Amino acid sequence: MGALKTNFVLVDVDDAEIDVGKLATYNKERHRALEDAHGNDYVFRRRGDSLEAVRTNSMAELLDMAFEKRSVRDIGKLLNALVERGFERYVIKPKIALVRRKPLTIVSLEPKNDVANTLFGRRTQGCFPLHVRRGFRIEARTVYRKAGPAPALVVDAITHSDLGDATCADLISDGFDLRGLYVLSLDPADAKHGRPTMIGQVVRVDGMTVHLGSDRRSERTQYEASALALDLGPAALPRLVAHYVGAEAHEELSDERNLLATGSQRWDRISKFVGRLAEGSFEIAPGVRARLGDWVTGLELGQTTAALPRYIVGGNKEADSTRGLFKSGPVHVPASARNSIRACVICERARRREVEAFLTALSDGEGSHRPLRQTWKLGAVSFTIFEAASSSATDYEKAFQASVDEGSRWQLALVQVPSDTQDAHGDENPYLVTKAKFLARNVPVQEFRVETMKKPTSQRQWALGGIGLQVFAKLGGVPWLLQTKTKEHELILGLGSASLGTSRFGARDRVVGLTTAFSGDGRYYLTETSRTVKYEEHEGAVVESAVAAFKRVRTEMAWRTGDPVRIVLHSFKDLRRKHIDALKSAVLAAAGSELKVDFAFLHLAEQHPILLFDPSEQQQIPPRGAVVQLGRYEALVAVLGPNEIRNDRVGFPRPVCIKLQEGSTFTKLDYLSEQAIAFAALSWRNFTPTSVPITVLYAELIADLLGRLGSLSRWDPDVLRGDVGTSRWFL
């Protein structure tokens, strides 16, 4: 592996002095008030317990604060704010529009850079309101090279969807159905940071009057359609494209966007954009200019290659990949599944024949998917089908009740998800209703979709393989584990929280703290959930679930007095120092003086602006295992490489950003990076590595499913505090 490229471009700044204002004793409300009143003429940034400001407009009034002369190169992260604001003024032109300021997002207004216009303009004869514009997202950061820190811009190429000036009135006139979609208020009084605000979900439309349902921001329920715009969320965009162009158009648009996001095209767009702008300079403060310089390479930051994980499969044999189990078998087959498995199947009556054929393929094998008994060493699976008269939740509930009345003690339930109900809310969703009822009886549930059943063998074989793996794990099987060399007991905890209910407004009132627990070799132990709490108390709920997980795993692992224990906590967000101290104190109190406990607190960020490119690879995808340090306590880790990205639809893989947080007592970043790569290759949902370690992935899956289940009127989240919480119910 040669030197990797990053999307950091250095910024060279004049060696000059500027006036820096300072307000002692930081106040958040005052900061916001100053931003609102003077944000176009000043940049503001908190530093410790004070607020600092620099004037960017020499004609602006001088604010009432103490100013002092300081070197522009010695003002810390305030320089990043100046660089970003100066670059914004430099790049905005008549055909370049500002979408948002934080992070700085710009798009081209030229028709040739409008993907939707290029694809569908002729077919829709100019009446298509959707624009998908090429653009860039830019963020100023300090980059910590071996040669020393320096200001830089992180530049990423994007596409951005908008409806231009089209309002909901225009869409209604075109016969577009707004029901079930979310809308934005165009009233300036409702704007936040200068942008329209989402106000609720449409329940019905009468003429040009839009009625909002219970999921809304305020008590107001009626709006004139001309005062609203459509929010282009995941449900709205496919419906919009299908209405104006056709059923297959959204897939065509997605393919084009994915092509633009591939590594080669992405780098080409970024490098040409920066190359043009590097020919000039821009002002960051009165009389002080800056220029774009060289790209930062991985070698300048600290580039290494981590060892890829090795696996333990059946017979305690070692393997280079998860597919080693096809030769040696899984690590553990539960005794309850070795002889026979009683599986209950719920499906639509009209699809029974399709379902029977699908179950035969799942059980007996199809293409590369081998029979369940051959791969997983399971007993014979007997499927008993219970038909739902229709796709309604009521009929699915009746089919569930019939399965209960039949009297068998089911070991597994398979539920066929009706195509027209996948996005149904709460009690209207047949899959959620059925899953909740089976979970309450401690029966694991596996869903399968109509779209999966209809795939040709060349594609369905891979889906069947994944379903077979998930079924095996839900039955209590252990397919594979990681080979480890550490002598310490190691407990890896994934921290998360879930808002109960799918409402966009008010869902944060009911929150569950959750913790997934794994041993160092990747053995999954449990999902520990807290009691339902208010959002303001969710950090305490996460502490509660983490301590409960520690106590249960300690008992199960039978740790002895004096044993060294390393606890690695993977969090879905940056943890406040107060939260870290609370977690640490609570776990140490539970451990007592008997155990020697080390801690590593990690924020694993999947969504961040930094990319890695490999010039030697066709799509510029870095090899799996590449690690680039961003400083002493932060690193980029490539958990997916070219072999894992098999088509353009997967997109360009973003490295996981690992941030070792203050309060950690175990600080070996190279070891923790290698561990993150291993845990990203340990999912029991499929055979290939995932884009994030399973500590975070499983927590995300649980949070999503808990949120959806929480929309049911009769769901009790305390179900998961029983035996089902130790199963892989969420896979």
Side-chain angles (χ1 to χ4, degrees):
M1 176 178 64
L4 300 179
K5 297 178 294 188
T6 72
N7 58 334
F8 278 119
V9 59
L10 293 173
V11 178
D12 176 50
V13 178
D14 287 346
D15 187 6
E17 289 191 333
I18 58 172
D19 293 317
V20 179
K22 183 177 181 180
L23 278 175
T25 311
Y26 180 80
N27 181 281
K28 192 173 185 178
E29 286 69 31
R30 187 171 186 187
H31 183 177
R32 286 179 176 172
L34 286 169
E35 287 275 12
D36 290 341
H38 305 284
N40 290 327
D41 299 321
Y42 281 81
V43 295
F44 301 91
R45 189 175 180 94
R46 180 178 181 175
R47 187 168 188 168
D49 194 36
S50 62
L51 179 67
E52 293 184 336
V54 174
R55 185 164 52 171
T56 55
N57 178 4
S58 60
M59 305 301 292
E61 63 175 297
L62 203 60
L63 298 179
D64 184 19
M65 60 176 67
F67 283 84
E68 65 174 0
K69 291 280 187 186
R70 287 167 59 183
S71 169
V72 72
R73 295 181 178 179
D74 192 31
I75 59 173
K77 292 184 178 179
L78 186 58
L79 176 57
N80 294 340
L82 284 173
V83 167
E84 207 166 284
R85 183 65 59 81
F87 189 77
E88 175 192 323
R89 292 192 301 269
Y90 177 48
V91 77
I92 297 297
K93 296 177 173 61
K95 292 184 179 180
I96 302 291
L98 175 68
V99 173
R100 62 185 301 169
R101 181 163 275 174
K102 292 182 180 180
L104 177 60
T105 307
I106 59 173
V107 295
S108 170
L109 299 179
E110 295 188 65
K112 68 178 182 179
N113 288 322
D114 184 343
V115 178
N117 178 75
T118 303
L119 287 177
F120 309 128
R122 290 183 180 177
R123 277 185 261 177
T124 56
Q125 298 178 344
C127 69
F128 188 39
L130 178 68
H131 304 281
V132 180
R133 308 180 194 276
R134 291 180 175 88
F136 297 91
R137 189 173 291 123
I138 303 114
E139 191 175 320
R141 288 197 175 194
T142 302
V143 60
Y144 296 94
R145 303 170 299 162
K146 293 177 183 177
L153 289 176
V154 188
V155 184
D156 192 10
I158 62 163
T159 53
H160 173 77
S161 303
D162 69 73
L163 291 172
D165 297 327
T167 68
C168 286
D170 299 316
L171 300 180
I172 292 170
S173 297
D174 289 340
F176 181 71
D177 183 7
L178 291 171
R179 289 175 300 173
L181 304 180
Y182 287 84
V183 290
L184 312 168
S185 171
L186 297 175
D187 187 340
D190 294 332
K192 276 193 174 182
H193 308 296
R195 296 194 300 275
T197 303
M198 185 186 296
I199 56 170
Q201 186 180 35
V202 178
V203 67
R204 77 175 194 274
V205 177
D206 295 329
M208 286 295 172
T209 301
V210 174
H211 298 262
L212 304 184
S214 59
D215 193 10
R216 58 181 185 272
R217 186 175 295 278
S218 67
E219 292 302 311
R220 185 178 174 186
T221 61
Q222 295 184 28
Y223 290 82
E224 287 302 311
S226 59
L228 301 175
L230 179 65
D231 174 61
L232 289 175
L237 199 56
R239 190 189 299 182
L240 190 78
V241 177
H243 175 79
Y244 281 95
V245 187
E248 305 300 323
H250 183 252
E251 186 172 343
E252 189 178 347
L253 178 60
S254 296
D255 288 346
E256 187 66 21
R257 295 180 85 167
N258 288 335
L259 185 62
L260 288 171
T262 56
S264 58
Q265 292 222 20
R266 205 166 196 156
W267 177 254
D268 185 61
R269 291 170 63 198
I270 293 170
S271 57
K272 286 180 178 177
F273 171 72
V274 169
R276 290 193 301 270
L277 295 171
E279 296 173 359
S281 63
F282 53 98
E283 187 177 74
I284 63 171
V288 182
R289 302 193 72 79
R291 293 149 294 278
L292 300 183
D294 296 328
W295 293 104
V296 178
T297 67
L299 293 178
E300 293 177 81
L301 297 168
Q303 178 182 316
T304 57
T305 302
L308 296 180
R310 290 180 60 78
Y311 300 89
I312 301 298
V313 291
N316 205 32
K317 294 181 180 178
E318 296 180 17
D320 290 329
S321 77
T322 57
R323 297 189 178 277
L325 72 85
F326 291 127
K327 180 179 180 181
S328 303
V331 169
H332 169 68
V333 182
S336 59
R338 290 175 188 166
N339 296 321
S340 63
I341 299 163
R342 297 176 303 281
C344 160
V345 182
I346 308 288
C347 73
E348 296 171 89
R349 180 173 297 158
R351 296 195 181 276
R352 177 167 184 141
R353 293 184 66 181
E354 293 176 76
V355 168
E356 287 176 337
F358 181 77
L359 294 175
T360 299
L362 174 64
S363 177
D364 298 347
E366 180 178 79
S368 296
H369 168 61
R370 307 192 311 173
L372 293 179
R373 298 183 69 174
Q374 182 182 352
T375 298
W376 303 112
K377 316 305 178 188
L378 295 169
V381 183
S382 59
F383 298 107
T384 304
I385 295 178
F386 297 88
E387 299 174 353
S390 73
S391 64
S392 73
T394 300
D395 283 336
Y396 263 63
E397 189 170 355
K398 288 178 182 177
F400 162 79
Q401 192 58 52
S403 74
V404 173
D405 295 341
E406 195 269 353
S408 293
R409 293 189 61 187
W410 304 113
Q411 294 167 268
L412 175 70
L414 295 103
V415 179
Q416 173 249 314
V417 180
S419 297
D420 58 346
T421 65
Q422 292 177 13
D423 298 319
H425 182 75
D427 295 339
E428 301 299 316
N429 189 307
Y431 170 67
L432 291 181
V433 168
T434 313
K435 175 136 188 160
K437 290 187 173 296
F438 277 119
L439 287 179
R441 291 177 172 268
N442 202 27
V443 178
V445 186
Q446 177 65 45
E447 69 171 304
F448 59 98
R449 298 175 181 270
V450 173
E451 292 78 9
T452 303
M453 291 196 295
K454 290 182 175 296
K455 286 182 177 179
T457 298
S458 60
Q459 298 176 24
R460 194 168 73 169
Q461 59 185 338
W462 310 117
L464 288 169
I467 291 173
L469 168 58
Q470 292 167 42
V471 164
F472 178 72
K474 287 175 180 178
L475 289 169
V478 178
W480 53 73
L481 293 171
L482 294 171
Q483 183 188 64
T484 58
K485 298 177 182 178
T486 181
K487 295 180 180 179
E488 293 87 359
H489 295 303
E490 200 165 35
L491 177 62
I492 295 89
L493 302 178
L495 304 183
S497 64
S499 296
L500 300 190
T502 56
S503 166
R504 297 273 191 102
F505 308 102
R508 292 157 71 92
D509 291 341
R510 299 167 58 227
V511 177
V512 167
L514 62 93
T515 300
T516 55
F518 304 83
S519 58
D521 62 0
R523 191 182 300 271
Y524 172 77
Y525 277 94
L526 54 90
T527 302
E528 186 67 57
T529 58
S530 74
R531 300 290 181 185
T532 305
V533 299
K534 294 181 179 179
Y535 177 76
E536 294 74 22
E537 301 167 5
H538 85 282
E539 288 187 346
V542 171
V543 172
E544 177 191 327
S545 66
V547 172
F550 173 82
K551 289 179 178 178
R552 289 176 64 176
V553 174
R554 174 186 180 174
T555 300
E556 194 164 337
M557 287 184 170
W559 293 336
R560 294 176 294 185
T561 299
D563 281 354
V565 177
R566 179 185 303 130
I567 298 180
V568 182
L569 296 104
H570 289 175
S571 174
F572 68 109
K573 67 173 186 176
D574 266 322
L575 297 173
R576 297 186 302 162
R577 183 56 195 265
K578 183 179 178 181
H579 193 187
I580 287 175
D581 290 343
L583 272 164
K584 204 170 176 180
S585 297
V587 171
L588 287 173
S593 58
E594 301 172 1
L595 301 173
K596 301 174 183 178
V597 184
D598 255 341
F599 292 90
F601 296 92
L602 290 174
H603 173 206
L604 270 58
E606 186 181 10
Q607 300 301 320
H608 58 85
I610 310 168
L611 300 170
L612 296 175
F613 296 89
D614 184 355
S616 65
E617 204 276 326
Q618 183 178 5
Q619 282 300 334
Q620 309 247 0
I621 300 172
R624 178 169 163 239
V627 178
V628 173
Q629 289 200 213
L630 297 178
R632 191 175 174 185
Y633 301 112
E634 191 171 2
L636 298 172
V637 179
V639 297
L640 298 176
N643 293 334
E644 290 71 47
I645 307 300
R646 295 174 179 173
N647 60 65
D648 292 342
R649 290 190 178 188
V650 179
F652 186 68
R654 195 176 295 270
V656 173
C657 185
I658 296 177
K659 302 176 184 178
L660 187 61
Q661 307 213 266
E662 194 176 350
S664 300
T665 55
F666 181 81
T667 59
K668 294 182 178 178
L669 196 59
D670 53 348
Y671 175 89
L672 295 168
S673 298
E674 193 169 299
Q675 187 180 69
I677 293 168
F679 269 73
L682 198 59
S683 171
W684 292 350
R685 278 169 60 88
N686 47 50
F687 290 89
T688 54
T690 54
S691 59
V692 288
I694 57 171
T695 44
V696 174
L697 174 65
Y698 282 9
E700 288 175 352
L701 293 172
I702 295 166
D704 176 67
L705 193 48
L706 274 177
R708 295 169 64 205
L709 288 167
S711 66
L712 297 170
S713 59
R714 289 174 286 174
W715 165 250
D716 179 7
D718 284 346
V719 165
L720 301 180
R721 296 173 66 82
D723 291 341
V724 72
T726 62
S727 72
R728 293 76 154 174
W729 61 274
F730 51 85
L731 290 174

